[in-house]
Amino acid sequence: MARLTRVESQARTRELLIATARQLFLRDGYHATSLEKVAEAAGFSKGAVYSNFGTKDELCQTVIDAVRAEQVQAIMDAFLGDGSDEDRLAVFESWAERTIGDPGWTLLEAEFAIHATRRDPGLRDKVAAGGRSWVGALQFLLEKEARRRDLSLPLPAGELADALLSLGVGLGLRRAVDPALSSHALTDLIRLLLDHAPRGDHRDHRDRRPPVGPPTGPPVDPAIDQPAGPPLRPRRDR
């Protein structure tokens, strides 16, 4: 077996540290997870951790960024996938039921955000930037869906994305405390927005929020511009 180069060895060490830290942060939370625990669980010295991450905040932010990227990709796959309008919303609904309120991710995000807000303005800004990236991704999807169906959204896509994210965050915190709650309210709201938006009326809604940069994610699937399908109806039988 070929011996790893120094660069390859360092990259593998970093990957193992991130994977181990992810398990501990999601299981035990931010405050209960120390760099010493991460090093011990990964089989490295504490120095190996510090040579890759200067602080626990940096390591936790790296973990959260990785989880967010995976979830943004999952939402993109749901909305930009094949199938009918209802099929694609059903995929998103499955993701929401499985993910919104997940105790590990939800509570880690909340704990880290509170820590950052109270302790470090610079770190708080990074957490805020993460929220804006979510809004950018949702805005992108809303605009693509509206164009695909030839609809005019009732409000600027950015404002709707802000509202949907706020609903998702609040619902996630509630479901983390009360797992019996359903996530269907989020999907039903999207259904109502798309079902009641006028067709072919492309009014110029001015977005009153600061501009958001383009989301990171997969390239747009050209199939998204196909003619709109039948209107969606809110689910009633639950």
Side-chain angles (χ1 to χ4, degrees):
M1 184 176 183
R3 186 174 181 178
L4 295 176
T5 66
R6 179 178 176 81
V7 173
E8 290 172 337
S9 178
Q10 290 175 336
R12 176 167 293 187
T13 297
R14 182 180 175 86
E15 290 174 2
L16 288 172
L17 289 172
I18 294 173
T20 302
R22 175 172 177 155
Q23 292 178 344
L24 295 180
F25 279 129
L26 292 177
R27 188 189 70 189
D28 302 331
Y30 172 79
H31 289 293
T33 301
S34 66
L35 294 183
E36 290 86 351
K37 289 181 178 179
V38 172
E40 181 180 358
F44 295 107
S45 67
K46 186 178 177 181
V49 181
Y50 277 113
S51 67
N52 285 274
F53 304 96
T55 64
K56 185 172 81 167
D57 288 345
E58 182 183 344
L59 178 55
C60 189
Q61 184 69 65
T62 300
V63 168
I64 288 176
D65 287 346
V67 176
R68 284 176 179 168
E70 291 173 5
Q71 299 305 338
V72 168
Q73 181 69 57
I75 294 175
M76 290 280 186
D77 290 343
F79 273 96
L80 303 180
D82 297 326
S84 67
D85 296 337
E86 183 59 32
D87 287 340
R88 289 182 295 109
L89 270 179
V91 173
F92 172 76
E93 189 167 52
S94 177
W95 171 87
E97 187 67 20
R98 183 176 64 253
T99 306
I100 294 178
D102 169 74
W105 179 34
T106 300
L107 297 182
L108 177 62
E109 287 265 14
E111 187 180 8
F112 190 66
I114 292 170
H115 161 76
T117 301
R118 288 180 171 172
R119 301 292 182 184
D120 185 344
L123 187 60
R124 178 198 61 199
D125 291 343
K126 291 181 180 178
V127 173
R132 289 192 293 272
S133 70
W134 268 108
V135 171
L138 292 174
Q139 178 178 343
F140 169 80
L141 290 173
L142 286 170
E143 290 171 343
K144 292 300 294 183
E145 193 68 9
R147 284 196 295 270
R148 194 186 71 82
R149 298 167 181 248
D150 191 27
L151 301 177
S152 177
L153 296 173
L155 289 172
E159 293 186 7
L160 287 175
D162 265 327
L164 290 173
L165 179 62
S166 297
L167 174 59
V169 170
L171 182 59
L173 288 172
R174 290 193 63 204
R175 292 193 80 209
V177 176
D178 184 1
L181 290 174
S182 171
S183 67
H184 292 312
L186 182 60
T187 312
D188 281 351
L189 179 58
I190 296 174
R191 282 188 173 92
L192 285 170
L193 285 171
L194 297 175
D195 193 24
H196 292 280
R199 292 182 180 274
D201 179 17
H202 300 288
R203 290 167 291 176
D204 180 19
H205 292 299
R206 297 192 178 274
D207 196 334
R208 294 179 288 274
R209 305 171 316 105
V212 177
T216 57
V220 176
D221 185 346
I224 201 66
D225 292 324
Q226 62 188 356
L232 299 175
R233 303 293 178 185
R235 295 177 49 170
R236 295 184 174 84
D237 294 330
R238 294 202 179 87

